[in-house]
Amino acid sequence: MARVALVTGGSRGIGAAISIALKAAGYTVAANYAGNDDAAAKFKGETGIPVYKWDVSDFDACAAGVAKVEADLGPIEVLVNIAGITRDGMFHKMTKDQWYAVINTNLNSLFNMTRPVWEGMRARKFGRVICISSINGQKGQMGQANYSAAKAGDIGFVKALAQEGAKAGITVNAITPGYIGTEMVRAIDPAIIEKAILPHIPVGRLGEPSEIARAVVFLAADDAGFITGSTLSANGGQYMV
């Protein structure tokens, strides 16, 4: 029986690429989304991957969502935490709402989503938790104090939880993408990409969502059981740790 994988933010951008790649690798995939019903319906129609709507910043909604997915598809054995938002602004102008919106969605969601699946993974002696952090959680980014703090917190979460899951057969890892050619990034003025972004990326191009997806498939595999607590940088050499 195929392992069940749940991808938060799994119907658009990098999340959609991850959902599609996991399905192609033989997993039974569920894609969570937050609010874009039209995009989610289109994704479901094109891929056949079921979609489930809830807010990952709400613990009770996450618990109910996990229960629904497991009732429909079976126990969740692979969890990919990717759902995230940005509310950028220089810190001296940043509002409380901007700060907490990003922290709640990008960091607190890791607890909200992982806690409901954790005990089942422990009982079955198998689990894969993969958290999509960011290059900006490693190096910081001006105008993104909230986002950088949340994404750095993701890495700390992974390092701590990996130690707890190891003896139960659960691996917990992070991937830190750099600039990836999603719809949002490609909407940036091409001149800005050419002059202000690409010169800082040694490979000379944006990453592709499929490249992040392949990294997720690798970490999700049964054969990746000796890799845990790791942070896999996928940024074209822009920032080397």
Side-chain angles (χ1 to χ4, degrees):
M1 186 175 180
R3 295 196 184 280
V4 176
L6 171 60
V7 183
T8 69
S11 65
R12 299 176 67 194
I14 296 173
I18 291 170
S19 296
I20 291 167
L22 285 168
K23 182 181 179 182
Y27 294 85
T28 298
V29 180
N32 152 268
Y33 74 103
N36 193 324
D37 294 325
D38 291 340
K42 180 180 178 182
F43 173 80
K44 180 180 179 181
E46 292 176 346
T47 66
I49 295 172
V51 294
Y52 296 82
K53 183 179 181 180
W54 71 81
D55 178 1
V56 295
S57 71
D58 182 327
F59 178 82
D60 290 336
C62 290
V66 165
K68 174 61 175 170
V69 171
E70 293 196 324
D72 290 348
L73 305 178
I76 294 166
E77 295 181 290
V78 177
L79 172 65
V80 184
N81 289 310
I82 183 173
I85 61 172
T86 56
R87 297 289 186 271
D88 296 349
M90 298 300 286
F91 190 71
H92 67 281
K93 295 182 179 179
M94 186 172 288
T95 66
K96 181 180 72 172
D97 288 345
Q98 286 175 302
W99 177 268
Y100 281 105
V102 170
I103 296 298
N104 286 336
T105 299
N106 297 16
L107 178 57
N108 290 342
S109 63
L110 269 61
F111 175 83
N112 296 343
M113 286 302 309
T114 309
R115 185 66 182 85
V117 303
W118 190 252
E119 290 183 31
M121 290 180 175
R122 281 169 46 87
R124 293 185 298 273
K125 300 297 182 184
F126 180 89
R128 298 284 186 265
V129 178
I130 302 163
C131 300
I132 309 301
S133 179
S134 168
I135 184 175
N136 291 342
Q138 296 174 299
K139 72 176 187 61
Q141 177 61 42
M142 183 172 66
Q144 286 194 326
N146 49 3
Y147 185 83
S148 295
K151 291 301 186 178
D154 293 352
I155 295 170
F157 174 87
V158 161
K159 289 180 181 295
L161 196 59
Q163 296 177 55
E164 296 188 27
K167 289 186 177 180
I170 307 169
T171 67
V172 189
N173 292 290
I175 299 172
T176 52
Y179 279 96
I180 306 300
T182 60
E183 181 180 344
M184 179 178 68
V185 171
R186 294 195 184 278
I188 298 171
D189 184 336
I192 294 176
I193 293 177
E194 190 69 28
K195 295 179 180 179
I197 295 176
L198 295 186
H200 298 287
I201 305 174
V203 301
R205 65 174 177 85
L206 301 175
E208 294 297 332
S210 60
E211 293 178 297
I212 306 303
R214 286 195 292 273
V216 170
V217 171
F218 167 68
L219 291 173
D222 287 21
D223 291 343
F226 200 60
I227 303 171
T228 195
S230 294
T231 300
L232 175 58
S233 295
N235 59 43
Q238 184 179 356
Y239 186 74
M240 302 182 189
V241 181

